[in-house]
Amino acid sequence: MNYFPLFLNLHDQNCLVVGGGDVAARKIRLLAAAGGKMTVVAPALCEELAQAVLDGKLIHLAASFNESQLQNTRLVIAATNSEEVNRQVFEACEARGILVNAVDDPASCRFITPAIVDRSPLMIAISTSGGVPVLARNLRAQLEALIPHAYGDLAKMAADFRDEVKSKLLTVGTRKQFWEQTLAGPIPDMVFAGQYEAARQALRESLSADTDAPRQGAVYLVGCGPGNPDLLTFRALRLMQQADVVLYDNLVSAPILDMVRRDAERVYVGKKSNNHAVPQEEINKLLVRYAQKGQKVLRLKGGDPFIFGRGGEEIEELAEAGVAFEVVPGITSAAGASCYAGIPLTHRDYAQSVTFVTGHRRDGEVELDWPRLVSPTETVVVYMGVAQVGKICAQLIKHGRNPATPAAMVEKATLSKQRVVVGTLSDLAQKVVDLGIKPPALIIIGEVVCLHEKLKWLAD
Ligand code: SAH
């Protein structure tokens, strides 16, 4: 171990920063956030520091560094652009036993500063012992994405309950078990969703409840976007890494499924080889059953769960059964296809509104409110419309939309095999057949489609 890691209480401690530029300002910001009483030594200050002096947050000694400035100082940072001055500061501090760091100059450091993930009071510090700071920063970026923003609030709440837990649960073992169970249950998610009072109440209840009471399950209805894993939300990713059971169907791509926790049980509820999907009622029941067993159940949905996803039906049943649930939005495939095909769905010159409709048939017919879809300034996006594309285009023409209106089909949007076919209302259907386009694909209809040629950034 090259360095000993520690967290320093700097409240009301005198800290001195030598140097008045941007690097100094960055260090001063951090030290001040930790409660340090800040003094800066520099002949001149950058704008931010000059303002901090005016605001009374910073004392400025308009001078060059000299040892007399170190009196009563706990910690010093040398942030000048002169190695020689940094060395001088380092040696003066060493002689007095003061903690000292020279920015980017390990030879003049008694301590070094880590990359941090700040979820105060929870704090993660990462260091490569000064070797490869970029590596520490990369790791930090990964952790930032992985750790919910409100993790600190959870830590704070747990700390608030510490004494109460200690007085109720007398051994270290029972306390550990209590926290393990509590943190694996629904309470953290309540905190992450900003429901602080409900979380506190639930914590109070579980503290007074029988410790052998069954663990409570919950269902997370999670939209995972149009298929490209980069388009997942942080929330979706975190839940995928905590789930006990995952229910998924055809629209959830293999690379996304790969990101689910390895030992989670995977349940496929999509279309089987006989082309029959698991009936919706059965999926609803499965969700309830797993949650009632105390499992953390993830229901992964393509795109957004509330856009043609039957998400509403699934959670209705959960609500009736009294199962806790949460719904996580995803990028709907219309948004994914639009961006990845370079076809904006609205545009000041071409379309003032956009309507999402389904091409799914009921009793053999596509039933849409056709007269509402024929305005020349309206973009129409059709989900589940591959098989019916001919009928849909014909109906629009029949109800008055210009047959020359541009129309596109986007197959496997956002995935590496994405294909875009562009035509008009009169010839799109034939092109789709000629090219053998298959679901999942979306139809985009409207003048905006003409922008594709100019705005596409992927090959068709
Ligand atoms: N909830 C989903 C839609 C489910 S309906 C969402 O918000 O996107 C299923 C239809 O979505 C498919 O028939 C297809 O029209 C569309 N779809 C889903 N993923 C797609 C993709 N990657 N590319 C094109 N269309 C897609």
CSV table of all heavy atoms in Angstrom, one decimal, residues 183-207:
chain,number,residue,atom,x,y,z
A,183,LEU,N,-32.1,-3.2,3.5
A,183,LEU,CA,-31.6,-2.6,2.3
A,183,LEU,C,-31.8,-3.4,1.1
A,183,LEU,O,-31.7,-2.9,-0.1
A,183,LEU,CB,-30.1,-2.4,2.5
A,183,LEU,CG,-29.7,-1.4,3.6
A,183,LEU,CD1,-28.3,-1.3,3.9
A,183,LEU,CD2,-30.3,0.0,3.3
A,184,ALA,N,-32.2,-4.7,1.2
A,184,ALA,CA,-32.5,-5.5,0.1
A,184,ALA,C,-34.0,-5.4,-0.3
A,184,ALA,O,-34.4,-5.9,-1.3
A,184,ALA,CB,-32.2,-7.0,0.3
A,185,GLY,N,-34.8,-4.8,0.6
A,185,GLY,CA,-36.2,-4.7,0.3
A,185,GLY,C,-36.6,-3.4,-0.4
A,185,GLY,O,-35.8,-2.7,-1.0
A,186,PRO,N,-37.9,-3.0,-0.3
A,186,PRO,CA,-38.4,-1.8,-1.1
A,186,PRO,C,-38.0,-0.5,-0.5
A,186,PRO,O,-38.2,0.5,-1.2
A,186,PRO,CB,-39.9,-2.0,-1.1
A,186,PRO,CG,-40.2,-2.9,0.1
A,186,PRO,CD,-39.0,-3.7,0.4
A,187,ILE,N,-37.5,-0.4,0.7
A,187,ILE,CA,-37.2,0.9,1.3
A,187,ILE,C,-36.2,1.8,0.5
A,187,ILE,O,-36.5,3.0,0.3
A,187,ILE,CB,-36.8,0.7,2.8
A,187,ILE,CG1,-38.1,0.2,3.6
A,187,ILE,CG2,-36.3,2.1,3.4
A,187,ILE,CD1,-37.8,-0.1,5.0
A,188,PRO,N,-35.1,1.2,0.1
A,188,PRO,CA,-34.2,2.1,-0.7
A,188,PRO,C,-34.9,2.7,-1.9
A,188,PRO,O,-34.7,3.9,-2.2
A,188,PRO,CB,-33.1,1.1,-1.1
A,188,PRO,CG,-33.1,0.1,0.0
A,188,PRO,CD,-34.5,-0.1,0.4
A,189,ASP,N,-35.7,1.9,-2.6
A,189,ASP,CA,-36.3,2.5,-3.8
A,189,ASP,C,-37.3,3.6,-3.4
A,189,ASP,O,-37.5,4.5,-4.2
A,189,ASP,CB,-37.1,1.3,-4.5
A,189,ASP,CG,-36.1,0.5,-5.3
A,189,ASP,OD1,-35.1,1.0,-5.8
A,189,ASP,OD2,-36.2,-0.7,-5.3
A,190,MET,N,-37.9,3.5,-2.2
A,190,MET,CA,-38.8,4.6,-1.8
A,190,MET,C,-38.0,5.9,-1.7
A,190,MET,O,-38.4,7.0,-2.1
A,190,MET,CB,-39.5,4.3,-0.5
A,190,MET,CG,-40.4,3.2,-0.5
A,190,MET,SD,-41.1,2.9,1.1
A,190,MET,CE,-42.0,1.4,0.9
A,191,VAL,N,-36.8,5.7,-1.1
A,191,VAL,CA,-35.9,6.9,-0.9
A,191,VAL,C,-35.5,7.4,-2.3
A,191,VAL,O,-35.6,8.6,-2.6
A,191,VAL,CB,-34.7,6.6,-0.1
A,191,VAL,CG1,-33.7,7.7,0.0
A,191,VAL,CG2,-35.1,6.1,1.3
A,192,PHE,N,-35.1,6.5,-3.2
A,192,PHE,CA,-34.7,7.0,-4.5
A,192,PHE,C,-35.8,7.7,-5.3
A,192,PHE,O,-35.5,8.5,-6.2
A,192,PHE,CB,-34.1,5.8,-5.3
A,192,PHE,CG,-33.0,5.1,-4.7
A,192,PHE,CD1,-32.7,3.7,-4.9
A,192,PHE,CD2,-32.2,5.7,-3.7
A,192,PHE,CE1,-31.7,3.1,-4.3
A,192,PHE,CE2,-31.1,5.1,-3.1
A,192,PHE,CZ,-30.9,3.7,-3.4
A,193,ALA,N,-37.0,7.3,-5.0
A,193,ALA,CA,-38.2,7.9,-5.7
A,193,ALA,C,-38.6,9.2,-4.9
A,193,ALA,O,-39.6,9.8,-5.3
A,193,ALA,CB,-39.3,6.9,-5.8
A,194,GLY,N,-37.8,9.6,-3.9
A,194,GLY,CA,-38.2,10.8,-3.2
A,194,GLY,C,-39.3,10.7,-2.1
A,194,GLY,O,-39.7,11.7,-1.6
A,195,GLN,N,-39.7,9.4,-1.8
A,195,GLN,CA,-40.8,9.3,-0.9
A,195,GLN,C,-40.2,9.0,0.5
A,195,GLN,O,-40.2,7.9,1.1
A,195,GLN,CB,-41.6,8.1,-1.3
A,195,GLN,CG,-42.3,8.2,-2.6
A,195,GLN,CD,-42.9,6.9,-3.0
A,195,GLN,OE1,-42.4,5.8,-3.0
A,195,GLN,NE2,-44.2,7.0,-3.5
A,196,TYR,N,-39.6,10.1,1.1
A,196,TYR,CA,-38.9,10.0,2.3
A,196,TYR,C,-39.7,9.6,3.5
A,196,TYR,O,-39.4,8.7,4.3
A,196,TYR,CB,-38.1,11.3,2.6
A,196,TYR,CG,-37.2,11.7,1.6
A,196,TYR,CD1,-37.4,12.8,0.8
A,196,TYR,CD2,-36.1,10.9,1.3
A,196,TYR,CE1,-36.5,13.2,-0.2
A,196,TYR,CE2,-35.2,11.3,0.3
A,196,TYR,CZ,-35.4,12.4,-0.5
A,196,TYR,OH,-34.6,12.7,-1.5
A,197,GLU,N,-40.9,10.2,3.6
A,197,GLU,CA,-41.8,9.9,4.8
A,197,GLU,C,-42.2,8.4,4.7
A,197,GLU,O,-42.2,7.7,5.7
A,197,GLU,CB,-42.9,10.9,4.9
A,197,GLU,CG,-43.5,11.1,6.3
A,197,GLU,CD,-42.5,10.8,7.4
A,197,GLU,OE1,-41.5,11.6,7.5
A,197,GLU,OE2,-42.6,9.8,8.2
A,198,ALA,N,-42.6,8.0,3.5
A,198,ALA,CA,-43.1,6.6,3.4
A,198,ALA,C,-42.0,5.7,3.7
A,198,ALA,O,-42.2,4.6,4.4
A,198,ALA,CB,-43.6,6.4,2.0
A,199,ALA,N,-40.7,6.0,3.3
A,199,ALA,CA,-39.6,5.2,3.6
A,199,ALA,C,-39.3,5.1,5.1
A,199,ALA,O,-39.1,4.0,5.7
A,199,ALA,CB,-38.4,5.7,2.9
A,200,ARG,N,-39.4,6.2,5.8
A,200,ARG,CA,-39.2,6.3,7.3
A,200,ARG,C,-40.3,5.4,8.0
A,200,ARG,O,-40.0,4.7,8.9
A,200,ARG,CB,-39.2,7.7,7.8
A,200,ARG,CG,-38.2,8.6,7.2
A,200,ARG,CD,-38.2,10.0,7.8
A,200,ARG,NE,-37.4,10.1,9.0
A,200,ARG,CZ,-36.1,10.3,9.0
A,200,ARG,NH1,-35.5,10.6,7.8
A,200,ARG,NH2,-35.4,10.4,10.1
A,201,GLN,N,-41.5,5.6,7.5
A,201,GLN,CA,-42.6,4.9,8.1
A,201,GLN,C,-42.4,3.4,7.9
A,201,GLN,O,-42.5,2.6,8.9
A,201,GLN,CB,-43.9,5.3,7.4
A,201,GLN,CG,-45.2,4.7,8.0
A,201,GLN,CD,-45.3,5.1,9.5
A,201,GLN,OE1,-44.8,6.1,10.0
A,201,GLN,NE2,-45.9,4.1,10.2
A,202,ALA,N,-42.0,3.0,6.7
A,202,ALA,CA,-41.8,1.5,6.5
A,202,ALA,C,-40.6,1.0,7.3
A,202,ALA,O,-40.7,-0.1,7.8
A,202,ALA,CB,-41.4,1.3,5.0
A,203,LEU,N,-39.6,1.8,7.5
A,203,LEU,CA,-38.5,1.4,8.4
A,203,LEU,C,-38.9,1.2,9.8
A,203,LEU,O,-38.6,0.3,10.5
A,203,LEU,CB,-37.4,2.4,8.3
A,203,LEU,CG,-36.0,1.8,8.5
A,203,LEU,CD1,-35.2,1.8,7.2
A,203,LEU,CD2,-35.2,2.6,9.5
A,204,ARG,N,-39.7,2.2,10.3
A,204,ARG,CA,-40.2,2.1,11.6
A,204,ARG,C,-41.0,0.8,11.8
A,204,ARG,O,-40.9,0.1,12.8
A,204,ARG,CB,-41.2,3.3,11.9
A,204,ARG,CG,-40.5,4.4,12.8
A,204,ARG,CD,-41.4,5.6,13.0
A,204,ARG,NE,-40.8,6.8,12.5
A,204,ARG,CZ,-41.3,7.6,11.5
A,204,ARG,NH1,-42.4,7.3,11.0
A,204,ARG,NH2,-40.6,8.6,11.1
A,205,GLU,N,-41.9,0.6,10.8
A,205,GLU,CA,-42.7,-0.6,10.9
A,205,GLU,C,-41.9,-1.9,10.9
A,205,GLU,O,-42.1,-2.8,11.7
A,205,GLU,CB,-43.7,-0.7,9.7
A,205,GLU,CG,-44.9,0.1,10.0
A,205,GLU,CD,-45.7,0.4,8.7
A,205,GLU,OE1,-45.6,-0.4,7.7
A,205,GLU,OE2,-46.5,1.3,8.7
A,206,SER,N,-40.9,-2.0,10.0
A,206,SER,CA,-40.1,-3.2,10.0
A,206,SER,C,-39.3,-3.4,11.2
A,206,SER,O,-39.0,-4.5,11.6
A,206,SER,CB,-39.3,-3.3,8.7
A,206,SER,OG,-38.3,-2.4,8.7
A,207,LEU,N,-39.0,-2.3,11.9
A,207,LEU,CA,-38.2,-2.4,13.1
A,207,LEU,C,-39.1,-2.9,14.3
A,207,LEU,O,-38.6,-3.6,15.1
A,207,LEU,CB,-37.7,-1.0,13.5
A,207,LEU,CG,-36.6,-0.9,14.5
A,207,LEU,CD1,-35.4,-1.8,14.2
A,207,LEU,CD2,-36.1,0.5,14.6
